[in-house]
Amino acid sequence: MDPILKVEDLAISFGNNNVLKNVNFELYDNEILGIIGPNGAGKTVLLNILTGTLKPTSGRVTFMGKDILGVRIDERARLGFGRTFQVPRSFENMTAYENVMASAICGGQTTQREAAKRAEEILEFIGLEDKALVLAGSLKLLDKKRLEIGIALAPHPKVLMFDEVAGGLTESEISNILDIVKSLKIHGYSIIWIEHVIQTMLNGTDRVLLLADGYDIICDLPQIVLDSNEVEKVYLGVRKK
Amino acid sequence: MSIIEAKLNGIASQTGKVKIIVAAIILIIMGTLPFWGSGYMTNVFLLIFLYMSIGMMWNLLSGYAGLTSLGQQAFIGIGGYSVAVLTQVYGLSLIWGFAVGSVVGVVFALVISMPIFKMNGAYFTIGTWIIAEALYIFFVKWEFVNYGIGYPITAAYGIPMWGLYLASFIVGIGSIVIVTLLLKSRLGLTLMAMRDDSGAAEVRGVKLYRTKLICYLIAAFWVTITGCLLFLNQAYIVPSSAFTIDWTIACVFIVIIGGIGTIEGPIVGAVIYVFLRQILYGFPGISNIILGIIAIIIIIVAPKGIMGYLNNKFNLDIFSIRRRIKR
Ligand SMILES: Nc1ncnc2c1ncn2[C@@H]1O[C@H](COP(=O)(O)OP(=O)(O)OP(=O)(O)O)[C@@H](O)[C@H]1O
Ligand SMILES: [Mg+2]
């Protein structure tokens, strides 16, 4: 089966800072691919390249058989890329309901009526229905993270990309997010899920990729990656230079 | 639950009715002002409606589309000159001034959008200002518009005061209607998203360029029409009054003190601005300084402007822009 998303020889530098040197991976249909890596490994940079806000120095990104590096940011959203932001970027002076509606309208090109229906479904799904009419700016962190997922989900994207949706949350809040991600898999979504550490995603992902030093160091089943020497080296500081 | 909901819905539809009644009363009082108010009051409110219109459009650009222009005077001047040239030079009726003016204004906007939409942030702002300034210099040297001498607009004398007032009233209220309908439409959610975070909006699929251009053209059209009326009211036009940046500075003041990114802001701002200008009329040298000080004080006390502050504090939604959940 062809992957839905394929990343080849991806590299990006900012001046002398070679953040990504050569990154390769594939995302398959209805797969949840976890990506872990230490602070500054370039996980967010990778998402920014995929969604078009950063241009790579070299490499290829193929989405459903099509090279998309030349495609505009907004077109990629309409092609089927949905993402969350590590630091939530919901529209603060709009209600949670309007946030989801706006995303459905822009990314999904729906009518207002369809968007309203979609927003109600989604808010219920992410457990935010009782805060639907609260301004996004006054939501607390867990709710903001949930809303990020809701916004990303609104246009029925083909690929969902989560950037540390569990970051900064408590244990029970994380399990709440985990439930959401798991049921998204049941709904058929393909997901790239970034977290700082692997433990969070151990039983929520199909495969996990370790990103460090600019390379895709290892990509395998979550338990195998957890037990690997590579993870040991990267996270316990015995990093080879 | 259902009882509470029913009650809430009842309250909502009641406030809806109250709103309609209040709006109708205000519109009737304002619409008939020349027939019962003094000439002075009529003139003051005529100005309020015209400034409301240009403020509302500046707010659409800067407050929603992220297009902070310092060149709106270009469109006011184009409107004013269209009326002057077509009525004075060609002896055509006023309606031609409005028709030709609005077409020229929109076409001009479309042409300059190509270069200036490539610029971002402060460059866009400076770009719009330079273009308006260039237009001023061009008009001073242009024989067709009688150089820097300009024209009297004698057609203005043929219009009764109430006629000019009513036209201004329609343009002012029309600006509110345009922006309200825009924000209630499908595009409205896009505009609000852009207002809050244009970068994130683009990632959500907003066509930034297209949306901005739509707003820019709407504003160009309406500001040009308003410019026609502003100069009919003055009955004389010269390049230095047509293309002065003072017009845009007034917009900035109105929108900032009223509340940027709100519909109510420019309305409140225009009322305050015009009344202040009347009071400050006796101090021509320092009036701008006083306006500046007032703006600074309001920004410090209420950074989102008067209506931004009140809307947040009392959770107001006067123009019912908020999307409600229908059950
Ligand atoms: N737009 C940019 N311009 C210059 N440097 C950047 C830019 N974006 C990211 N970087 C740099 O790229 C490196 C990787 O950043 P990135 O945010 O992708 O890390 P991350 O893996 O997401 O880390 P974290 O776990 O802290 O979120 C950092 O050194 C950062 O300073
Ligand atoms: Mg990151």
Side-chain angles (χ1 to χ4, degrees):
Chain A
M1 193 175 56
D2 282 339
I4 186 162
L5 185 72
K6 186 169 182 172
V7 171
E8 292 166 285
D9 304 325
L10 202 63
I12 187 169
S13 351
F14 303 101
N16 296 330
N17 187 3
N18 303 319
V19 177
L20 299 182
K21 293 170 191 148
N22 193 311
V23 174
N24 299 271
F25 68 88
E26 278 136 25
L27 175 74
Y28 290 92
D29 194 28
N30 199 19
E31 181 187 31
I32 303 189
L33 174 69
I35 298 183
I36 56 164
N39 289 113
K43 304 181 295 291
T44 300
V45 164
L46 175 64
L47 270 205
N48 289 343
I49 294 173
L50 294 179
T51 51
T53 49
L54 284 176
K55 294 222 176 313
T57 326
S58 62
R60 259 186 318 284
V61 177
T62 319
F63 174 62
M64 307 214 299
K66 188 182 168 210
D67 186 340
I68 50 129
L69 282 180
V71 176
R72 282 205 324 259
I73 299 171
D74 55 311
E75 283 176 40
R76 289 192 207 189
R78 275 174 267 123
L79 274 180
F81 279 45
R83 75 169 288 180
T84 68
F85 290 97
Q86 183 171 352
V87 179
R89 277 173 82 176
S90 41
F91 305 111
E92 303 226 311
N93 295 306
M94 297 165 72
T95 62
Y97 180 60
E98 289 167 341
N99 266 273
V100 180
M101 275 186 78
S103 176
I105 284 178
C106 301
Q109 296 182 289
T110 64
T111 63
Q112 285 210 75
R113 193 185 293 269
E114 288 159 355
K117 198 163 151 276
R118 180 83 179 134
E120 282 185 48
E121 279 165 27
I122 285 181
L123 290 173
E124 196 179 326
F125 175 71
I126 58 177
L128 222 56
E129 69 268 43
D130 54 334
K131 303 207 176 75
L133 300 182
V134 175
L135 292 186
S138 40
L139 292 174
K140 59 182 180 12
L141 185 65
L142 172 66
D143 291 338
K144 277 192 180 169
K145 296 248 172 184
R146 282 173 169 160
L147 182 56
E148 282 285 310
I149 295 179
I151 294 171
L153 209 52
H156 293 285
K158 306 251 168 17
V159 174
L160 276 165
M161 301 179 233
F162 294 155
D163 195 354
E164 304 207 15
V165 273
L169 300 182
T170 66
E171 201 94 326
S172 69
E173 289 174 337
I174 290 177
S175 81
N176 184 296
I177 297 281
L178 198 62
D179 290 342
I180 293 178
V181 176
K182 279 179 181 166
S183 65
L184 284 173
K185 168 150 175 133
I186 296 169
H187 281 83
Y189 285 99
S190 315
I191 301 174
I192 293 177
W193 182 11
I194 291 175
E195 285 297 332
H196 182 59
V197 290
I198 192 170
Q199 281 75 8
T200 323
M201 307 192 291
L202 208 49
N203 58 31
T205 47
D206 297 311
R207 288 186 304 151
V208 170
L209 178 138
L210 169 63
L211 190 67
D213 296 325
Y215 298 100
D216 49 299
I217 305 272
I218 176 174
C219 184
D220 215 318
L221 299 175
Q223 194 62 45
I224 296 178
V225 174
L226 177 65
D227 297 335
S228 67
N229 294 331
E230 285 85 349
V231 162
E232 174 108 3
K233 274 184 203 144
V234 169
Y235 282 89
L236 295 178
V238 207
R239 258 161 106 176
K240 49 181 179 192
K241 268 274 154 185
Chain B
M1 185 65 188
S2 63
I3 297 171
I4 296 172
E5 254 173 28
K7 270 197 177 153
L8 281 176
N9 285 339
I11 292 169
S13 71
Q14 255 176 8
T15 48
K17 270 178 212 154
V18 171
K19 267 185 199 172
I20 291 172
I21 292 169
V22 171
I25 292 172
I26 292 175
L27 285 179
I28 290 169
I29 292 175
M30 286 286 100
T32 56
L33 178 68
F35 306 109
W36 53 266
S38 68
Y40 175 75
M41 252 357 227
T42 305
N43 199 37
V44 166
F45 275 90
L46 178 151
L47 286 176
I48 286 177
F49 286 118
L50 294 179
Y51 277 98
M52 185 186 295
S53 168
I54 59 174
M56 196 64 85
M57 290 301 145
W58 194 82
N59 181 43
L60 175 64
L61 297 183
S62 184
Y64 289 94
L67 296 169
T68 301
S69 163
L70 278 181
Q72 290 303 87
Q73 62 273 21
F75 302 108
I76 292 176
I78 286 173
Y81 264 103
S82 299
V83 166
V85 170
L86 287 164
T87 58
Q88 286 314 112
V89 181
Y90 293 100
L92 294 171
S93 72
L94 272 174
I95 197 78
W96 282 100
F98 284 83
V100 172
S102 51
V103 171
V104 173
V106 172
V107 170
F108 183 73
L110 200 56
V111 171
I112 65 171
S113 76
M114 292 170 207
I116 58 172
F117 271 49
K118 293 209 172 75
M119 309 180 203
N120 277 323
Y123 295 100
F124 174 86
T125 305
I126 294 166
T128 54
W129 176 60
I130 289 174
I131 286 172
E133 210 54 22
L135 208 55
Y136 161 67
I137 294 167
F138 184 72
F139 269 61
V140 169
K141 311 222 150 142
W142 195 15
E143 188 187 357
F144 180 67
V145 299
N146 204 17
Y147 305 110
I149 303 155
Y151 293 107
I153 306 176
T154 43
Y157 304 130
I159 315 172
M161 186 62 187
W162 63 264
L164 197 56
Y165 175 86
L166 276 185
S168 307
F169 172 75
I170 291 168
V171 163
I173 301 297
S175 73
I176 303 176
V177 173
I178 290 172
V179 174
T180 307
L181 289 181
L182 209 53
L183 290 181
K184 284 191 180 189
S185 76
R186 195 168 163 274
L187 194 70
L189 286 166
T190 306
L191 284 173
M192 289 185 256
M194 278 168 66
R195 169 195 66 190
D196 287 359
D197 185 339
S198 68
E202 194 175 20
V203 170
R204 301 303 170 207
V206 173
K207 298 169 187 159
L208 288 183
Y209 189 99
R210 182 174 152 268
T211 314
K212 287 178 177 196
L213 186 60
I214 291 172
C215 292
Y216 195 65
L217 296 181
I218 291 173
F221 175 67
W222 210 250
V223 170
T224 307
I225 298 273
T226 313
C228 298
L229 288 170
L230 280 165
F231 280 94
L232 271 178
N233 187 44
Q234 296 195 359
Y236 202 97
I237 192 163
V238 288
S240 60
S241 66
F243 297 106
T244 170
I245 197 172
D246 287 357
W247 294 118
T248 304
I249 290 176
C251 294
V252 176
F253 180 87
I254 287 167
V255 172
I256 299 288
I257 65 161
I260 192 161
T262 69
I263 299 187
E264 302 83 6
I267 303 174
V268 172
V271 173
I272 294 174
Y273 176 79
V274 173
F275 273 107
L276 273 177
R277 282 294 295 269
Q278 298 302 315
I279 295 167
L280 294 174
Y281 206 65
F283 315 88
I286 55 165
S287 68
N288 272 339
I289 298 173
I290 296 176
L291 284 177
I293 292 172
I294 290 171
I296 289 168
I297 291 172
I298 291 181
I299 290 168
I300 292 170
V301 177
K304 291 178 173 177
I306 295 170
M307 289 316 296
Y309 175 80
L310 293 179
N311 282 350
N312 273 5
K313 184 156 177 145
F314 300 107
N315 200 10
L316 299 179
D317 180 22
I318 297 173
F319 287 92
S320 306
I321 295 302
R322 290 255 101 92
R323 300 321 192 253
R324 305 193 181 285
I325 298 177
K326 298 182 194 78
R327 284 255 157 71

